[in-house]
Amino acid sequence: MGRPRIPAGEMGTIHITRLATGYRARAQARDDGGNLHQLRVVADTEEEARALLLRRVEALSSSAFSGLDSRNTIAEAGTAWLEQIRARAVAGSLSFSTYESYETTLRRLVVPQCGGITLGALTVGRCDRIIQAILLEKSVSAARRARAVLGLICGYAVRDDAIPFNPVRDVQRLPLPEKKTSILTPAQIAGIRELMEHWREDQSDGPRPNHRALIDGMDIMLGTSARVGECIGLRRRDVDIITAPPTMLIDGTIIQNKEQGIVRKNAPKRTRQRRRVALPALAADAVRRRLALAPSGQDALLFGTKTGNPISVSNYERLLRSFVDDNREALEKLGVEVDEYSTHIYRRTTATLVERAAGLTLASRLLGHANEQITRASYVVSAEEVDPITVEILDELLGS
């Protein structure tokens, strides 16, 4: 009877031979494709020779030990996982902004809360208590970020054969962040525009803030539902004011991260959200004003700096916050929910107005959503009053 066949991914007996200057270890091993390899290594000691041979065998097979086991801590597993995430960012399959967001969540939330716990000690109940503790001590948003990152780390550990299953999958659902419900009325928009026009116009201590960027950005975002990054990332080539009606291509956004700095990403927040929208009068007028101010060249940014470089989303939002802080009392007199006033209110206003006039489907398409439920859950503010046409319908069906 012949010797049993060595299975794929495994090796046969290790043979050790003592040499004049050390030890030789040899064995046969099959890779995952079933090919047989004759492996030989030489080292100073028998233990070193065995270890070196085992590493050679591991390199042939996906079943080999890859770095993590149940004794590793969450902090150690997180470090190994982040290396893989960074490699994906370098390769271009994931953004550096996402990598930096994961790294920040791991460093500020996950490791301080549970970094010393070993992977083998993680259970569904323990993961649930970890997430709930972050929820109580921090916020819903922090708990949701921590759960996402901890789940990704555990998923990585499962793929590394360090733990048999991902315990984060079965923790209880976290509450959704409270939905913001404030939108702007046409009268409020006109009042805000007037306040922006005169904001710090008599300022003597330094240059006046770029109020025109606030006005034009507001009008474009209200008229197109563009996000702030998509708005300030507009180029000359993205707008066509000759057609009737004028149109704008939402084809990029401004991003900022430590690796790349402030750059224009040649895709919206989601690649599938690339869309061309018709411009209403207020947005078309704002685009014309930006074209008059922008440098020449098809790739010139409509909201660039004096040197033509992109401005960051954080700088634009900081400018808006300064305006809001300076005009808080006047905004409150207009009935504006000042604490909810950010660039998001423009997109929410547009979604709500379009939904009420033309339905959810068109509002969702304008916002670039693949799922109408996203539009309903996150942007559209339901009207308090139900359409009185229900009276006519029910009277006709049920009688008086």
Side-chain angles (χ1 to χ4, degrees):
M1 183 177 178
R3 288 182 294 179
R5 176 185 173 89
I6 299 172
E10 297 185 14
M11 71 173 180
T13 303
I14 298 177
H15 300 278
I16 302 293
T17 303
R18 184 167 185 174
L19 306 175
T21 57
Y23 290 82
R24 179 178 63 208
R26 60 184 178 85
Q28 293 181 326
R30 289 190 188 276
D31 59 26
D32 287 353
N35 302 306
L36 187 65
H37 297 262
Q38 301 284 347
L39 303 178
R40 291 180 177 84
V41 298
V42 176
D44 293 336
T45 66
E46 180 178 346
E47 291 76 13
E48 290 176 353
R50 285 181 180 275
L52 183 58
L53 183 66
L54 288 172
R55 286 197 293 271
R56 292 280 301 276
V57 173
E58 289 172 0
L60 294 175
S61 172
S62 60
S63 66
F65 173 74
S66 55
L68 289 180
D69 62 31
S70 60
R71 295 167 296 180
N72 286 108
T73 64
I74 293 175
E76 293 167 343
T79 299
W81 166 74
L82 267 183
E83 291 177 359
Q84 185 185 73
I85 295 298
R86 179 173 175 78
R88 290 179 58 193
V90 171
S93 63
L94 181 142
S95 71
F96 278 103
S97 299
T98 300
Y99 162 75
E100 290 179 6
S101 175
Y102 287 159
E103 188 276 333
T104 300
T105 300
L106 178 65
R107 173 168 44 85
R108 293 185 177 179
L109 295 175
V110 176
V111 170
Q113 190 72 36
C114 59
I117 300 174
T118 62
L119 294 172
L122 283 178
T123 62
V124 174
R126 194 163 191 178
C127 288
D128 190 65
R129 290 189 290 274
I130 290 169
I131 301 302
Q132 292 301 315
I134 295 175
L135 174 64
L136 293 174
E137 296 170 9
K138 302 289 185 180
S139 65
V140 173
S141 176
R144 293 176 71 87
R145 295 197 307 273
R147 174 180 172 168
V149 167
L150 184 58
L152 289 169
I153 292 171
C154 288
Y156 174 77
V158 170
R159 294 190 298 275
D160 230 17
D161 295 324
I163 52 177
F165 69 98
N166 188 339
V168 180
R169 287 184 177 179
D170 292 322
V171 302
Q172 63 180 309
R173 289 187 176 184
L174 291 166
L176 293 173
E178 185 177 351
K179 180 179 177 179
K180 294 182 178 180
T181 58
S182 61
I183 61 172
L184 300 175
T185 66
Q188 289 171 338
I189 293 169
I192 291 169
R193 189 180 292 108
E194 182 70 16
L195 290 173
M196 288 179 175
E197 285 280 5
H198 299 289
W199 180 42
R200 296 188 187 178
E201 61 182 350
D202 298 325
Q203 178 172 307
S204 58
D205 54 339
R208 184 184 181 188
N210 192 353
H211 70 291
R212 178 50 59 188
L214 287 183
I215 297 171
D216 294 341
M218 177 179 70
D219 288 347
I220 291 173
M221 284 184 261
L222 283 170
T224 64
S225 81
R227 299 177 178 87
V228 58
E230 296 166 346
C231 175
I232 62 178
L234 287 172
R235 305 165 298 180
R236 280 186 176 274
R237 68 169 65 251
D238 298 326
V239 296
D240 186 350
I241 60 171
I242 299 176
T243 59
T247 62
M248 182 181 88
L249 178 65
I250 299 177
D251 189 32
T253 188
I254 300 299
I255 61 172
Q256 181 177 6
N257 54 65
K258 296 176 183 177
E259 188 77 20
Q260 299 168 303
I262 304 170
V263 295
R264 184 185 189 275
K265 172 188 169 186
N266 293 324
K269 183 179 180 181
R270 301 283 186 273
T271 303
R272 64 176 180 271
Q273 293 177 345
R274 183 179 185 272
R275 60 204 185 277
R276 182 175 290 277
V277 298
L279 298 177
L282 85 165
D285 289 343
V287 166
R288 292 187 183 96
R289 290 193 295 267
R290 300 317 300 181
L291 287 171
L293 296 171
S296 59
Q298 288 298 298
D299 289 325
L301 294 167
L302 302 193
F303 286 86
T305 64
K306 292 181 179 179
T307 58
N309 294 320
I311 62 174
S312 69
V313 170
S314 59
N315 280 346
Y316 188 93
E317 291 180 333
R318 188 179 300 114
L319 181 67
L320 181 60
R321 285 196 300 272
S322 296
F323 163 76
V324 172
D325 290 341
D326 286 355
N327 294 274
R328 175 175 289 271
E329 185 176 341
L331 290 169
E332 289 175 345
K333 287 182 179 179
L334 289 172
V336 176
E337 292 284 346
V338 177
D339 292 334
E340 291 191 6
Y341 193 168
S342 69
T343 55
H344 293 289
I345 201 171
Y346 302 145
R347 188 167 162 88
R348 191 162 59 245
T349 296
T350 302
T352 301
L353 294 178
V354 172
E355 187 271 341
R356 291 178 182 177
L360 185 62
T361 299
L362 183 58
S364 184
R365 290 187 62 189
L366 180 63
L367 270 65
H369 290 158
N371 188 334
E372 292 180 8
Q373 187 57 37
I374 298 174
T375 313
R376 170 68 70 190
S378 301
Y379 289 94
V380 170
V381 178
S382 299
E384 184 177 282
E385 183 176 340
V386 178
D387 193 327
I389 195 174
T390 55
V391 173
E392 299 177 17
I393 295 172
L394 293 174
D395 278 345
E396 181 178 347
L397 294 175
L398 301 177
S400 57

Tab-separated table of all heavy atoms in Angstrom, residues 233-241 247-252 264 266 274 276 287 291 294-302:
chain	number	residue	atom	x	y	z
A	233	GLY	N	-17.353	72.399	-5.877
A	233	GLY	CA	-16.502	71.667	-6.810
A	233	GLY	C	-16.880	71.879	-8.264
A	233	GLY	O	-16.298	71.248	-9.158
A	234	LEU	N	-17.839	72.764	-8.532
A	234	LEU	CA	-18.268	73.014	-9.910
A	234	LEU	C	-17.155	73.666	-10.728
A	234	LEU	O	-16.444	74.551	-10.244
A	234	LEU	CB	-19.499	73.923	-9.925
A	234	LEU	CG	-20.819	73.292	-9.483
A	234	LEU	CD1	-21.888	74.362	-9.360
A	234	LEU	CD2	-21.253	72.214	-10.476
A	235	ARG	N	-17.043	73.235	-11.986
A	235	ARG	CA	-16.081	73.819	-12.925
A	235	ARG	C	-16.837	74.463	-14.089
A	235	ARG	O	-18.031	74.231	-14.272
A	235	ARG	CB	-15.156	72.733	-13.472
A	235	ARG	CG	-14.421	71.931	-12.421
A	235	ARG	CD	-13.824	70.673	-13.012
A	235	ARG	NE	-14.872	69.795	-13.531
A	235	ARG	CZ	-14.647	68.611	-14.103
A	235	ARG	NH1	-13.407	68.171	-14.228
A	235	ARG	NH2	-15.648	67.874	-14.548
A	236	ARG	N	-16.120	75.233	-14.867
A	236	ARG	CA	-16.743	75.844	-16.046
A	236	ARG	C	-17.361	74.784	-16.958
A	236	ARG	O	-18.458	74.965	-17.492
A	236	ARG	CB	-15.705	76.650	-16.840
A	236	ARG	CG	-15.402	78.030	-16.286
A	236	ARG	CD	-14.475	78.797	-17.221
A	236	ARG	NE	-14.259	80.160	-16.754
A	236	ARG	CZ	-15.047	81.189	-17.034
A	236	ARG	NH1	-16.117	81.003	-17.795
A	236	ARG	NH2	-14.774	82.392	-16.577
A	237	ARG	N	-16.650	73.674	-17.136
A	237	ARG	CA	-17.124	72.658	-18.063
A	237	ARG	C	-18.404	71.970	-17.583
A	237	ARG	O	-19.068	71.287	-18.357
A	237	ARG	CB	-16.044	71.611	-18.303
A	237	ARG	CG	-15.723	70.728	-17.116
A	237	ARG	CD	-14.835	69.537	-17.494
A	237	ARG	NE	-13.509	69.946	-17.935
A	237	ARG	CZ	-13.093	69.856	-19.200
A	237	ARG	NH1	-13.900	69.388	-20.131
A	237	ARG	NH2	-11.867	70.231	-19.514
A	238	ASP	N	-18.748	72.144	-16.314
A	238	ASP	CA	-19.913	71.451	-15.760
A	238	ASP	C	-21.220	72.203	-15.974
A	238	ASP	O	-22.290	71.651	-15.700
A	238	ASP	CB	-19.722	71.214	-14.257
A	238	ASP	CG	-18.521	70.332	-13.957
A	238	ASP	OD1	-18.252	69.426	-14.770
A	238	ASP	OD2	-17.860	70.555	-12.927
A	239	VAL	N	-21.162	73.447	-16.422
A	239	VAL	CA	-22.386	74.241	-16.570
A	239	VAL	C	-22.569	74.646	-18.026
A	239	VAL	O	-21.608	74.872	-18.763
A	239	VAL	CB	-22.363	75.495	-15.668
A	239	VAL	CG1	-22.346	75.086	-14.206
A	239	VAL	CG2	-21.164	76.377	-15.974
A	240	ASP	N	-23.824	74.722	-18.424
A	240	ASP	CA	-24.179	75.147	-19.779
A	240	ASP	C	-25.318	76.149	-19.657
A	240	ASP	O	-26.467	75.776	-19.413
A	240	ASP	CB	-24.610	73.941	-20.618
A	240	ASP	CG	-24.860	74.303	-22.078
A	240	ASP	OD1	-24.885	75.515	-22.391
A	240	ASP	OD2	-25.032	73.384	-22.902
A	241	ILE	N	-24.983	77.428	-19.801
A	241	ILE	CA	-26.007	78.463	-19.635
A	241	ILE	C	-26.586	78.914	-20.968
A	241	ILE	O	-27.404	79.840	-21.017
A	241	ILE	CB	-25.434	79.680	-18.873
A	241	ILE	CG1	-24.249	80.279	-19.637
A	241	ILE	CG2	-25.046	79.297	-17.457
A	241	ILE	CD1	-23.775	81.595	-19.065
A	247	THR	N	-28.296	74.161	-17.754
A	247	THR	CA	-28.113	72.908	-17.016
A	247	THR	C	-26.780	72.901	-16.286
A	247	THR	O	-25.872	73.688	-16.592
A	247	THR	CB	-28.170	71.694	-17.955
A	247	THR	OG1	-27.097	71.782	-18.903
A	247	THR	CG2	-29.499	71.618	-18.683
A	248	MET	N	-26.688	71.974	-15.347
A	248	MET	CA	-25.466	71.817	-14.554
A	248	MET	C	-25.217	70.333	-14.335
A	248	MET	O	-26.134	69.591	-13.977
A	248	MET	CB	-25.628	72.526	-13.207
A	248	MET	CG	-24.403	72.481	-12.310
A	248	MET	SD	-24.727	73.319	-10.737
A	248	MET	CE	-25.412	71.966	-9.786
A	249	LEU	N	-23.996	69.902	-14.571
A	249	LEU	CA	-23.611	68.512	-14.361
A	249	LEU	C	-22.995	68.361	-12.974
A	249	LEU	O	-21.986	69.000	-12.663
A	249	LEU	CB	-22.609	68.067	-15.428
A	249	LEU	CG	-22.083	66.631	-15.305
A	249	LEU	CD1	-23.214	65.629	-15.517
A	249	LEU	CD2	-20.949	66.387	-16.296
A	250	ILE	N	-23.611	67.544	-12.146
A	250	ILE	CA	-23.050	67.248	-10.821
A	250	ILE	C	-22.162	66.026	-10.991
A	250	ILE	O	-22.636	64.894	-11.072
A	250	ILE	CB	-24.169	67.011	-9.793
A	250	ILE	CG1	-25.029	68.274	-9.665
A	250	ILE	CG2	-23.584	66.631	-8.434
A	250	ILE	CD1	-26.211	68.132	-8.726
A	251	ASP	N	-20.874	66.297	-11.083
A	251	ASP	CA	-19.930	65.268	-11.520
A	251	ASP	C	-18.680	65.214	-10.646
A	251	ASP	O	-17.671	64.648	-11.043
A	251	ASP	CB	-19.533	65.545	-12.981
A	251	ASP	CG	-18.738	64.403	-13.587
A	251	ASP	OD1	-18.974	63.250	-13.198
A	251	ASP	OD2	-17.866	64.672	-14.435
A	252	GLY	N	-18.718	65.828	-9.480
A	252	GLY	CA	-17.535	65.819	-8.623
A	252	GLY	C	-17.837	66.471	-7.295
A	252	GLY	O	-18.906	67.054	-7.087
A	264	ARG	N	-10.290	68.047	-5.663
A	264	ARG	CA	-11.584	67.753	-6.276
A	264	ARG	C	-11.612	66.289	-6.683
A	264	ARG	O	-10.779	65.834	-7.464
A	264	ARG	CB	-11.838	68.623	-7.502
A	264	ARG	CG	-13.224	68.419	-8.104
A	264	ARG	CD	-13.398	69.210	-9.391
A	264	ARG	NE	-14.785	69.184	-9.844
A	264	ARG	CZ	-15.322	68.202	-10.583
A	264	ARG	NH1	-14.575	67.170	-10.951
A	264	ARG	NH2	-16.587	68.254	-10.946
A	266	ASN	N	-13.277	63.463	-8.800
A	266	ASN	CA	-14.031	63.488	-10.051
A	266	ASN	C	-15.212	62.519	-10.035
A	266	ASN	O	-15.403	61.713	-10.945
A	266	ASN	CB	-13.103	63.182	-11.228
A	266	ASN	CG	-12.094	64.290	-11.445
A	266	ASN	OD1	-12.402	65.465	-11.270
A	266	ASN	ND2	-10.880	63.923	-11.794
A	274	ARG	N	-24.017	60.698	-10.220
A	274	ARG	CA	-23.691	61.638	-11.305
A	274	ARG	C	-24.973	61.947	-12.074
A	274	ARG	O	-25.676	61.048	-12.529
A	274	ARG	CB	-22.652	61.012	-12.230
A	274	ARG	CG	-22.174	61.918	-13.352
A	274	ARG	CD	-21.119	61.185	-14.183
A	274	ARG	NE	-20.544	62.039	-15.203
A	274	ARG	CZ	-21.051	62.188	-16.420
A	274	ARG	NH1	-22.155	61.532	-16.762
A	274	ARG	NH2	-20.468	62.983	-17.293
A	276	ARG	N	-27.248	65.331	-14.437
A	276	ARG	CA	-27.353	66.682	-14.978
A	276	ARG	C	-28.733	67.221	-14.635
A	276	ARG	O	-29.740	66.566	-14.900
A	276	ARG	CB	-27.137	66.691	-16.492
A	276	ARG	CG	-27.181	68.098	-17.104
A	276	ARG	CD	-26.835	68.080	-18.577
A	276	ARG	NE	-25.428	67.782	-18.792
A	276	ARG	CZ	-24.453	68.679	-18.726
A	276	ARG	NH1	-24.727	69.950	-18.420
A	276	ARG	NH2	-23.206	68.330	-18.950
A	287	VAL	N	-24.943	80.986	-11.064
A	287	VAL	CA	-23.898	80.390	-11.903
A	287	VAL	C	-23.280	81.453	-12.803
A	287	VAL	O	-22.051	81.504	-12.984
A	287	VAL	CB	-24.478	79.229	-12.735
A	287	VAL	CG1	-23.510	78.830	-13.850
A	287	VAL	CG2	-24.762	78.031	-11.837
A	291	LEU	N	-19.381	82.440	-12.965
A	291	LEU	CA	-18.609	82.376	-14.209
A	291	LEU	C	-17.872	83.686	-14.459
A	291	LEU	O	-16.742	83.699	-14.963
A	291	LEU	CB	-19.535	82.061	-15.388
A	291	LEU	CG	-20.065	80.623	-15.470
A	291	LEU	CD1	-21.138	80.516	-16.551
A	291	LEU	CD2	-18.931	79.646	-15.752
A	294	ALA	N	-14.821	83.557	-12.122
A	294	ALA	CA	-13.888	82.429	-12.223
A	294	ALA	C	-12.798	82.695	-13.251
A	294	ALA	O	-12.996	83.445	-14.211
A	294	ALA	CB	-14.653	81.163	-12.591
A	295	PRO	N	-11.628	82.079	-13.076
A	295	PRO	CA	-10.562	82.190	-14.079
A	295	PRO	C	-10.991	81.537	-15.390
A	295	PRO	O	-12.002	80.836	-15.461
A	295	PRO	CB	-9.389	81.431	-13.439
A	295	PRO	CG	-9.738	81.282	-11.997
A	295	PRO	CD	-11.222	81.268	-11.918
A	296	SER	N	-10.216	81.765	-16.427
A	296	SER	CA	-10.502	81.141	-17.713
A	296	SER	C	-10.064	79.678	-17.674
A	296	SER	O	-9.316	79.259	-16.790
A	296	SER	CB	-9.768	81.878	-18.831
A	296	SER	OG	-8.369	81.861	-18.592
A	297	GLY	N	-10.527	78.918	-18.636
A	297	GLY	CA	-10.175	77.500	-18.688
A	297	GLY	C	-11.342	76.633	-18.261
A	297	GLY	O	-12.041	76.948	-17.292
A	298	GLN	N	-11.552	75.550	-18.984
A	298	GLN	CA	-12.705	74.689	-18.729
A	298	GLN	C	-12.666	74.019	-17.358
A	298	GLN	O	-13.704	73.675	-16.807
A	298	GLN	CB	-12.802	73.621	-19.826
A	298	GLN	CG	-13.242	74.162	-21.175
A	298	GLN	CD	-14.639	74.761	-21.091
A	298	GLN	OE1	-15.606	74.072	-20.782
A	298	GLN	NE2	-14.744	76.056	-21.360
A	299	ASP	N	-11.480	73.837	-16.808
A	299	ASP	CA	-11.374	73.177	-15.506
A	299	ASP	C	-11.328	74.164	-14.344
A	299	ASP	O	-11.138	73.761	-13.192
A	299	ASP	CB	-10.128	72.288	-15.459
A	299	ASP	CG	-10.271	71.059	-16.344
A	299	ASP	OD1	-11.398	70.540	-16.431
A	299	ASP	OD2	-9.269	70.633	-16.946
A	300	ALA	N	-11.508	75.452	-14.635
A	300	ALA	CA	-11.487	76.457	-13.571
A	300	ALA	C	-12.674	76.262	-12.641
A	300	ALA	O	-13.808	76.050	-13.083
A	300	ALA	CB	-11.511	77.855	-14.176
A	301	LEU	N	-12.411	76.340	-11.342
A	301	LEU	CA	-13.460	76.170	-10.341
A	301	LEU	C	-14.276	77.447	-10.191
A	301	LEU	O	-13.719	78.552	-10.180
A	301	LEU	CB	-12.843	75.794	-8.992
A	301	LEU	CG	-12.157	74.425	-8.921
A	301	LEU	CD1	-11.320	74.322	-7.651
A	301	LEU	CD2	-13.187	73.307	-8.966
A	302	LEU	N	-15.587	77.298	-10.051
A	302	LEU	CA	-16.452	78.461	-9.875
A	302	LEU	C	-16.349	79.032	-8.464
A	302	LEU	O	-16.673	80.200	-8.243
A	302	LEU	CB	-17.911	78.095	-10.175
A	302	LEU	CG	-18.222	77.533	-11.568
A	302	LEU	CD1	-19.730	77.520	-11.796
A	302	LEU	CD2	-17.527	78.328	-12.659
